Each structure stands twice: as C-alpha cells, then as structure tokens.
Amino acid sequence: MADSFPSHDMEMIVTWGDCDAAGISYYAKAFDWFTNGRMRFMHVYGFPYMETFHGNGISLVCLKADCDYKKMLRPEEPVTVRTSLTALSRSRMTFNYQVLKQDGKLACEGTTSHTYVDDQGLPFNVEKRFPELWKQISSTWSGALAGKPSAQA
C-alpha cells in the first residue's frame, strides 16, 4: 500500500471470541476487523458512517472482499488494523487493510470494494444525488481519487 493514500491505524486486542477452538484467530474475523477499521477510518476523517451515509439513505454495499493470511494471531494479542482508502470515485470506494502484529509483522492484508446504494438497493452516482457530500468527500480524500495517491494525503 502506498503511504500517500489517506489512512488510519486502529489498535485492538484479539479476543477469545475471535478465535477457533485451537485458540487461533478464525479466518472470517479478519473481515469484522476490516469493517471496524473502515468505520473508524470514516469517523476519524469526519464522515461517521451511520450519520453521514446510513442516515441519508446511503449504504456502502461490499462488492468484493479479499484477504491474504500471513501469520497466526492468538487471544489477548495486541494488533494494529491499518485502513487505507485506495480508490474513490463517484460510484465506488476501495479500502486496503493490514493487520499488524505488535512486532510490526504482517498477520493479514486485504481489500474491500464498495458501491453507494440507495434504500431501494440501486447503485447511484453520489455526486449527482448528494453534490455537497461528494464535494466534502472528494476534497478530504483527494489522495484516493481515481486510485492515485497524492503527496498532500
């Protein structure tokens, strides 16, 4: 991931509920961590999901989710979930994630791609339907527009 994309680090502790019977993090939990990282990312940048999107009838529906697993995680292990917005358009957002162990080693990394959908489940161009919101989003996250990092992000 490029350092110049907008990003945020979220600290967390792996819980027993995140793990299987063997005490190793369950693979599907990474997607929960990605969601938590994405929600925190949006909040930190001034776009709390429930208020900004959901409250206005906008859902960010996931179109694709991938994860590559590198290292095991165990209960009570501190980790950092690094979330970066790597592509932004009038119809989609793409986020990359890294889950880092305390020593900085990569435990897993992944990507999710989302589209803006209305209450009827139909995708739409956010600039046309919510021009003021698009102006705020695009100026805040200009480093992710068209997936090209910028030095000011």
Side-chain angles (χ1 to χ4, degrees), residues 25-81:
S25 62
Y26 179 61
Y27 74 94
K29 282 300 193 172
F31 294 103
D32 289 338
W33 302 337
F34 294 171
T35 298
N36 293 340
R38 184 174 62 253
M39 298 283 280
R40 186 73 191 136
F41 172 94
M42 287 196 231
H43 182 81
V44 164
Y45 278 93
F47 300 98
Y49 179 76
M50 293 306 288
E51 180 184 329
T52 305
F53 294 95
H54 195 68
N56 287 305
I58 306 168
S59 294
L60 287 177
V61 173
C62 188
L63 299 172
K64 182 178 181 180
D66 290 311
C67 186
D68 292 321
Y69 303 91
K70 310 291 185 183
K71 303 266 183 211
M72 290 188 301
L73 294 170
R74 300 207 180 262
E76 300 184 357
E77 189 170 349
V79 295
T80 300
V81 179

Coordinates of all heavy atoms in Angstrom, one line a residue, residues 25-81:
S25 N -6.8 -17.2 15.7 CA -7.8 -16.4 15.1 C -8.5 -17.0 13.9 O -7.9 -17.6 13.1 CB -7.3 -15.0 14.7 OG -6.3 -15.2 13.6
Y26 N -9.8 -17.0 14.0 CA -10.7 -17.6 12.9 C -10.6 -16.7 11.7 O -10.8 -15.5 11.8 CB -12.1 -17.7 13.4 CG -13.1 -18.2 12.5 CD1 -13.0 -19.5 12.0 CD2 -14.2 -17.5 12.1 CE1 -13.9 -20.1 11.1 CE2 -15.2 -18.0 11.2 CZ -15.0 -19.3 10.7 OH -15.9 -19.8 9.8
Y27 N -10.4 -17.3 10.5 CA -10.1 -16.5 9.3 C -11.2 -15.5 9.0 O -10.9 -14.4 8.5 CB -9.9 -17.5 8.1 CG -11.2 -18.1 7.6 CD1 -11.9 -17.5 6.6 CD2 -11.7 -19.2 8.1 CE1 -13.1 -18.0 6.1 CE2 -12.9 -19.8 7.7 CZ -13.6 -19.2 6.6 OH -14.7 -19.7 6.2
A28 N -12.5 -15.8 9.2 CA -13.5 -14.8 8.9 C -13.5 -13.6 9.7 O -14.1 -12.5 9.3 CB -14.9 -15.5 8.9
K29 N -12.9 -13.6 10.9 CA -12.9 -12.5 11.8 C -12.1 -11.3 11.2 O -12.4 -10.2 11.5 CB -12.3 -12.9 13.2 CG -13.3 -13.6 14.1 CD -14.5 -12.7 14.3 CE -15.3 -13.2 15.4 NZ -16.3 -12.3 15.8
A30 N -11.2 -11.6 10.3 CA -10.4 -10.5 9.7 C -11.4 -9.5 9.0 O -11.2 -8.3 9.0 CB -9.4 -11.1 8.6
F31 N -12.5 -10.0 8.4 CA -13.4 -9.2 7.7 C -14.2 -8.3 8.7 O -14.5 -7.1 8.4 CB -14.4 -10.0 6.8 CG -13.6 -10.6 5.7 CD1 -13.4 -12.0 5.7 CD2 -13.2 -9.8 4.6 CE1 -12.6 -12.5 4.7 CE2 -12.5 -10.4 3.6 CZ -12.2 -11.8 3.6
D32 N -14.4 -8.8 10.0 CA -15.0 -7.9 11.0 C -14.0 -6.9 11.4 O -14.4 -5.7 11.6 CB -15.3 -8.8 12.3 CG -16.5 -9.7 12.1 OD1 -17.3 -9.4 11.2 OD2 -16.6 -10.7 12.8
W33 N -12.7 -7.2 11.5 CA -11.7 -6.2 11.8 C -11.6 -5.2 10.7 O -11.4 -4.0 11.0 CB -10.4 -6.9 12.1 CG -10.4 -7.9 13.1 CD1 -11.3 -8.0 14.2 CD2 -9.5 -9.0 13.3 NE1 -10.9 -9.1 15.0 CE2 -9.8 -9.7 14.4 CE3 -8.4 -9.4 12.6 CZ2 -9.2 -10.9 14.9 CZ3 -7.7 -10.6 13.0 CH2 -8.1 -11.3 14.1
F34 N -11.7 -5.6 9.5 CA -11.7 -4.7 8.4 C -12.9 -3.7 8.5 O -12.7 -2.5 8.3 CB -11.8 -5.4 7.0 CG -10.6 -6.3 6.7 CD1 -10.6 -7.1 5.6 CD2 -9.4 -6.3 7.4 CE1 -9.5 -7.9 5.2 CE2 -8.3 -7.1 7.1 CZ -8.4 -7.9 6.0
T35 N -14.0 -4.2 8.8 CA -15.2 -3.4 8.9 C -15.0 -2.3 10.0 O -15.3 -1.1 9.9 CB -16.5 -4.2 9.2 OG1 -16.7 -5.0 8.1 CG2 -17.7 -3.3 9.4
N36 N -14.5 -2.8 11.2 CA -14.3 -1.9 12.3 C -13.2 -0.8 11.9 O -13.4 0.3 12.3 CB -13.8 -2.7 13.5 CG -14.9 -3.6 14.1 OD1 -16.1 -3.4 13.8 ND2 -14.5 -4.6 14.8
G37 N -12.2 -1.2 11.2 CA -11.2 -0.3 10.8 C -11.8 0.7 9.8 O -11.4 1.9 9.9
R38 N -12.6 0.3 8.9 CA -13.2 1.2 7.9 C -14.2 2.2 8.6 O -14.2 3.4 8.3 CB -14.0 0.4 6.9 CG -14.6 1.2 5.7 CD -15.2 0.3 4.7 NE -16.3 -0.5 5.1 CZ -16.2 -1.9 5.3 NH1 -15.1 -2.5 5.1 NH2 -17.3 -2.5 5.8
M39 N -15.0 1.7 9.5 CA -15.9 2.6 10.3 C -15.1 3.6 11.0 O -15.5 4.8 11.1 CB -16.8 1.8 11.2 CG -17.7 0.8 10.5 SD -19.1 1.5 9.7 CE -20.2 1.7 11.1
R40 N -14.0 3.2 11.7 CA -13.2 4.1 12.5 C -12.5 5.1 11.5 O -12.4 6.3 11.8 CB -12.2 3.3 13.3 CG -11.4 4.2 14.2 CD -12.2 4.6 15.4 NE -11.5 5.6 16.1 CZ -12.1 6.8 16.6 NH1 -13.4 7.0 16.4 NH2 -11.4 7.6 17.2
F41 N -12.0 4.6 10.4 CA -11.4 5.5 9.4 C -12.3 6.6 9.0 O -12.0 7.8 9.0 CB -11.0 4.7 8.2 CG -10.5 5.4 7.0 CD1 -9.1 5.7 6.8 CD2 -11.4 5.9 6.1 CE1 -8.7 6.4 5.7 CE2 -10.9 6.7 5.0 CZ -9.6 6.9 4.8
M42 N -13.6 6.3 8.7 CA -14.5 7.3 8.2 C -14.8 8.3 9.3 O -14.9 9.5 9.1 CB -15.8 6.6 7.8 CG -15.6 5.9 6.4 SD -17.2 5.6 5.7 CE -17.0 3.9 5.3
H43 N -15.0 7.8 10.6 CA -15.2 8.6 11.7 C -14.1 9.6 11.9 O -14.3 10.8 12.1 CB -15.5 7.8 13.0 CG -15.8 8.6 14.2 ND1 -17.1 9.1 14.4 CD2 -15.1 9.0 15.2 CE1 -17.1 9.8 15.5 NE2 -15.9 9.8 16.0
V44 N -12.9 9.1 11.9 CA -11.7 10.0 12.2 C -11.6 11.1 11.1 O -11.2 12.2 11.4 CB -10.4 9.1 12.2 CG1 -9.2 10.0 12.1 CG2 -10.4 8.3 13.5
Y45 N -12.0 10.8 9.9 CA -11.9 11.8 8.8 C -13.1 12.7 8.7 O -13.3 13.5 7.8 CB -11.6 11.1 7.5 CG -10.2 10.8 7.2 CD1 -9.7 9.6 7.6 CD2 -9.3 11.8 6.7 CE1 -8.3 9.3 7.4 CE2 -8.0 11.5 6.5 CZ -7.5 10.3 6.9 OH -6.1 10.0 6.7
G46 N -14.1 12.5 9.7 CA -15.2 13.4 9.8 C -16.5 12.9 9.0 O -17.4 13.7 8.8
F47 N -16.5 11.6 8.7 CA -17.6 11.1 8.0 C -18.1 9.8 8.7 O -18.1 8.7 8.2 CB -17.3 10.7 6.5 CG -16.8 11.9 5.7 CD1 -15.4 12.1 5.5 CD2 -17.7 12.7 5.1 CE1 -15.0 13.2 4.8 CE2 -17.3 13.8 4.4 CZ -15.9 14.0 4.2
P48 N -18.7 10.0 9.9 CA -19.2 8.8 10.6 C -20.3 8.1 9.8 O -21.2 8.8 9.3 CB -19.8 9.4 11.9 CG -19.9 10.8 11.8 CD -18.9 11.2 10.6
Y49 N -20.1 6.8 9.6 CA -20.9 6.1 8.6 C -22.4 6.2 8.9 O -23.2 6.5 8.0 CB -20.5 4.6 8.6 CG -21.4 3.8 7.7 CD1 -21.1 3.9 6.3 CD2 -22.4 3.0 8.1 CE1 -21.9 3.2 5.4 CE2 -23.2 2.3 7.3 CZ -23.0 2.4 5.9 OH -23.8 1.7 5.0
M50 N -22.8 6.0 10.1 CA -24.3 5.9 10.4 C -24.9 7.3 10.2 O -26.0 7.4 9.6 CB -24.5 5.5 11.9 CG -24.2 4.0 12.1 SD -25.0 2.9 10.9 CE -26.7 2.9 11.5
E51 N -24.2 8.4 10.6 CA -24.7 9.7 10.4 C -24.6 10.2 8.9 O -25.6 10.7 8.3 CB -24.0 10.7 11.3 CG -24.4 12.1 11.2 CD -23.6 13.0 12.1 OE1 -23.1 12.5 13.2 OE2 -23.4 14.2 11.7
T52 N -23.4 10.0 8.4 CA -23.2 10.6 7.0 C -23.8 9.8 5.9 O -24.4 10.4 5.0 CB -21.6 10.6 6.8 OG1 -21.0 11.4 7.9 CG2 -21.3 11.3 5.5
F53 N -23.7 8.5 6.0 CA -24.2 7.7 4.9 C -25.6 7.1 5.2 O -26.6 7.4 4.6 CB -23.2 6.6 4.6 CG -21.9 7.1 4.0 CD1 -20.8 7.4 4.8 CD2 -21.8 7.5 2.7 CE1 -19.6 7.9 4.4 CE2 -20.6 8.0 2.2 CZ -19.5 8.2 3.0
H54 N -25.6 6.2 6.2 CA -26.8 5.5 6.5 C -28.0 6.4 6.9 O -29.1 6.2 6.4 CB -26.6 4.5 7.7 CG -27.6 3.5 7.9 ND1 -27.8 2.5 7.0 CD2 -28.5 3.3 8.9 CE1 -28.8 1.7 7.5 NE2 -29.2 2.2 8.6
G55 N -27.7 7.5 7.6 CA -28.7 8.5 8.0 C -29.3 9.2 6.8 O -30.4 9.8 6.9
N56 N -28.6 9.2 5.7 CA -29.1 9.9 4.4 C -29.6 8.9 3.4 O -29.7 9.2 2.2 CB -27.9 10.7 3.8 CG -27.7 12.0 4.7 OD1 -28.6 12.7 4.9 ND2 -26.5 12.1 5.1
G57 N -29.8 7.6 3.8 CA -30.3 6.6 2.9 C -29.2 6.1 2.0 O -29.6 5.5 0.9
I58 N -28.0 6.2 2.4 CA -26.9 5.7 1.5 C -26.3 4.5 2.2 O -25.9 4.5 3.4 CB -25.8 6.7 1.4 CG1 -26.3 8.0 0.8 CG2 -24.6 6.2 0.5 CD1 -25.3 9.2 0.9
S59 N -26.2 3.4 1.5 CA -25.5 2.2 2.1 C -24.2 2.0 1.2 O -24.2 2.2 0.0 CB -26.3 0.9 2.0 OG -27.4 1.0 2.9
L60 N -23.1 1.6 1.9 CA -21.9 1.2 1.2 C -21.9 -0.3 1.1 O -21.5 -1.0 2.0 CB -20.7 1.7 1.9 CG -20.4 3.2 1.8 CD1 -19.2 3.6 2.6 CD2 -20.2 3.6 0.3
V61 N -22.4 -0.8 0.0 CA -22.5 -2.3 -0.2 C -21.2 -2.8 -0.7 O -20.6 -2.3 -1.6 CB -23.7 -2.6 -1.2 CG1 -23.7 -4.1 -1.5 CG2 -25.0 -2.1 -0.6
C62 N -20.8 -3.9 -0.1 CA -19.5 -4.5 -0.5 C -19.7 -5.3 -1.7 O -20.6 -6.2 -1.8 CB -19.0 -5.4 0.7 SG -17.3 -6.1 0.4
L63 N -18.9 -5.1 -2.7 CA -18.9 -5.8 -4.0 C -17.9 -6.9 -4.0 O -18.1 -7.9 -4.7 CB -18.6 -4.8 -5.2 CG -19.6 -3.7 -5.3 CD1 -19.0 -2.7 -6.4 CD2 -21.0 -4.2 -5.7
K64 N -16.8 -6.7 -3.3 CA -15.7 -7.7 -3.3 C -14.9 -7.6 -2.1 O -14.7 -6.5 -1.6 CB -14.8 -7.5 -4.6 CG -13.7 -8.5 -4.7 CD -12.9 -8.2 -5.9 CE -11.8 -9.2 -6.1 NZ -10.9 -9.0 -7.2
A65 N -14.5 -8.7 -1.5 CA -13.7 -8.7 -0.3 C -12.6 -9.9 -0.4 O -13.0 -11.0 -0.8 CB -14.5 -9.0 0.9
D66 N -11.4 -9.5 -0.2 CA -10.3 -10.5 -0.3 C -9.4 -10.3 1.0 O -9.3 -9.3 1.5 CB -9.4 -10.2 -1.5 CG -10.1 -10.5 -2.8 OD1 -10.6 -11.6 -2.9 OD2 -10.0 -9.7 -3.7
C67 N -8.8 -11.4 1.3 CA -7.8 -11.4 2.4 C -6.7 -12.5 2.2 O -7.0 -13.6 1.8 CB -8.5 -11.7 3.8 SG -7.4 -11.5 5.2
D68 N -5.5 -12.1 2.4 CA -4.3 -13.0 2.4 C -3.8 -13.1 3.9 O -3.6 -12.1 4.5 CB -3.2 -12.5 1.5 CG -3.6 -12.5 0.1 OD1 -4.3 -13.4 -0.4 OD2 -3.2 -11.5 -0.7
Y69 N -3.7 -14.3 4.3 CA -3.3 -14.6 5.7 C -1.8 -14.9 5.7 O -1.3 -15.8 5.0 CB -4.1 -15.7 6.3 CG -5.6 -15.3 6.2 CD1 -6.4 -15.7 5.2 CD2 -6.2 -14.6 7.3 CE1 -7.7 -15.4 5.1 CE2 -7.5 -14.2 7.2 CZ -8.3 -14.6 6.1 OH -9.6 -14.3 6.0
K70 N -1.0 -14.3 6.7 CA 0.4 -14.5 6.7 C 0.9 -15.1 8.0 O 1.7 -16.0 8.0 CB 1.1 -13.1 6.6 CG 0.6 -12.3 5.4 CD 1.1 -12.9 4.1 CE 0.7 -12.0 2.9 NZ 1.0 -12.5 1.6
K71 N 0.3 -14.7 9.2 CA 0.8 -15.1 10.5 C -0.5 -15.4 11.4 O -1.5 -14.7 11.3 CB 1.6 -14.1 11.2 CG 2.8 -13.6 10.4 CD 4.0 -14.4 10.8 CE 5.3 -13.9 10.1 NZ 6.2 -14.9 9.8
M72 N -0.3 -16.3 12.3 CA -1.4 -16.6 13.2 C -1.5 -15.5 14.3 O -0.5 -14.9 14.6 CB -1.1 -18.0 14.0 CG -1.2 -19.2 13.1 SD -1.1 -20.7 14.1 CE 0.5 -20.5 14.9
L73 N -2.7 -15.4 14.8 CA -3.0 -14.5 15.9 C -3.6 -15.3 17.0 O -4.4 -16.2 16.7 CB -3.8 -13.3 15.5 CG -3.2 -12.3 14.5 CD1 -4.3 -11.4 13.9 CD2 -2.0 -11.6 15.1
R74 N -3.4 -14.9 18.2 CA -3.9 -15.6 19.4 C -4.6 -14.7 20.3 O -4.4 -13.4 20.3 CB -2.8 -16.3 20.1 CG -2.1 -17.4 19.2 CD -1.5 -18.5 20.1 NE -0.8 -19.4 19.2 CZ -1.4 -20.6 18.8 NH1 -2.6 -20.9 19.2 NH2 -0.7 -21.4 18.1
P75 N -5.5 -15.2 21.2 CA -6.2 -14.3 22.2 C -5.3 -13.5 23.0 O -4.2 -13.9 23.3 CB -7.0 -15.3 23.1 CG -7.1 -16.6 22.3 CD -5.8 -16.6 21.4
E76 N -5.7 -12.3 23.2 CA -5.0 -11.3 24.0 C -3.8 -10.7 23.3 O -3.0 -9.9 23.9 CB -4.7 -11.8 25.4 CG -5.9 -12.2 26.2 CD -5.6 -12.6 27.6 OE1 -4.4 -12.7 28.0 OE2 -6.5 -12.9 28.4
E77 N -3.7 -11.0 22.1 CA -2.6 -10.4 21.3 C -3.0 -9.0 20.8 O -4.0 -8.9 20.1 CB -2.2 -11.3 20.1 CG -0.9 -10.9 19.4 CD -0.5 -12.0 18.4 OE1 -1.0 -13.1 18.4 OE2 0.4 -11.7 17.6
P78 N -2.1 -8.0 21.1 CA -2.4 -6.7 20.5 C -2.1 -6.6 19.1 O -1.0 -7.1 18.6 CB -1.5 -5.7 21.4 CG -0.5 -6.6 22.0 CD -1.0 -8.0 22.0
V79 N -2.9 -6.0 18.3 CA -2.7 -5.8 16.8 C -3.1 -4.4 16.4 O -3.8 -3.7 17.1 CB -3.4 -6.8 16.0 CG1 -2.9 -8.2 16.2 CG2 -4.9 -6.7 16.1
T80 N -2.6 -4.0 15.3 CA -3.0 -2.7 14.7 C -3.7 -3.0 13.3 O -3.1 -3.8 12.5 CB -1.7 -1.8 14.4 OG1 -1.1 -1.6 15.6 CG2 -2.1 -0.5 13.7
V81 N -4.8 -2.4 13.1 CA -5.5 -2.6 11.9 C -5.3 -1.2 11.1 O -5.8 -0.2 11.5 CB -7.1 -2.8 12.0 CG1 -7.7 -2.9 10.7 CG2 -7.3 -4.1 12.9

